[in-house]
Amino acid sequence: EKHKACSMSDDSIADTLVFQDPPTNVKAVSPAVMAAVTPVLESVALGQDDPAIIFDWHQPALLSLAAAPAPGGLAPAPWMIQPLTPHNIQSSIIAFAGVPAGGTHGHVCFAPNTLVQFNNVMMRVGYIQDHEWMQAMAASAQIGVGAANGPLATLHFATDRNSTPYAAALVAAPAGTQIFA
């Protein structure tokens, strides 16, 4: 069964987007992010084998992470731009995670991606989430799924123009905080 996700102008792609797959963990893409990715989704080839990855950043978590005290004894992740600011955090994560992506569109979208590219991007997102320094910073900043300041970003996946980007549950870090929802 397909479910309507959001409403925008009648001529917008968002009006024709519907959820696919079991919508048990679906979270709507924020209107600002949807506005930013709609032109991308309209301009690239999407399909079950060419998914887009969309980052819906959470400002409270970005601000908390940027302001958090550095964990003692741990060097910052080598891919993290210093000083920590919300913009540098987004830029660092997009730059590192997006190396294998088919295309990078600002801080919000990787598209199009082959399945291999998609899997490689998601492996890098998992590496970011599991990194010892990121885990320590997440604890210090109180970010993550269920934490006071929420997750750093919700990741959504779009598989075609007839499906709304949907959030899929990511596996929690082995012994830590699930930074991305």
Side-chain angles (χ1 to χ4, degrees):
E1 184 176 349
K2 296 183 178 195
H3 303 271
K4 192 86 167 155
C6 58
S7 61
M8 295 177 117
S9 66
D10 289 339
D11 57 1
S12 169
I13 190 172
D15 284 327
T16 63
L17 299 177
V18 291
F19 291 114
Q20 289 185 337
D21 299 311
T24 56
N25 58 354
V26 169
K27 297 174 184 157
V29 178
S30 70
V33 171
M34 197 67 218
V37 300
T38 295
V40 174
L41 298 179
E42 290 174 340
S43 69
V44 298
L46 295 175
Q48 294 294 338
D49 294 334
D50 302 295
I53 304 169
I54 300 164
F55 283 74
D56 194 348
W57 296 97
H58 300 255
Q59 288 303 310
L62 284 166
L63 292 168
S64 295
L65 185 60
L74 290 177
W79 37 262
M80 185 61 73
I81 299 169
Q82 300 293 321
L84 284 185
T85 65
H87 184 269
N88 285 351
I89 293 165
Q90 290 173 312
S91 294
S92 298
I93 291 171
I94 292 297
F96 182 79
V99 168
T104 301
H105 305 277
H107 287 157
V108 295
C109 187
F110 298 132
N113 298 293
T114 64
L115 289 179
V116 171
Q117 289 168 321
F118 175 85
N119 287 331
N120 287 333
V121 168
M122 294 311 298
M123 284 177 34
R124 285 176 166 259
V125 168
Y127 175 81
I128 291 167
Q129 178 170 270
D130 295 345
H131 192 276
E132 182 180 25
W133 181 81
M134 283 296 290
Q135 285 292 306
M137 288 297 292
S140 176
Q142 298 182 354
I143 66 166
V145 173
N149 295 307
L152 197 53
T154 299
L155 274 59
H156 301 269
F157 311 109
T159 54
D160 62 51
R161 286 180 188 81
N162 295 319
S163 68
T164 294
Y166 59 93
L170 299 176
V171 176
T177 301
Q178 184 176 336
I179 295 170
F180 299 103

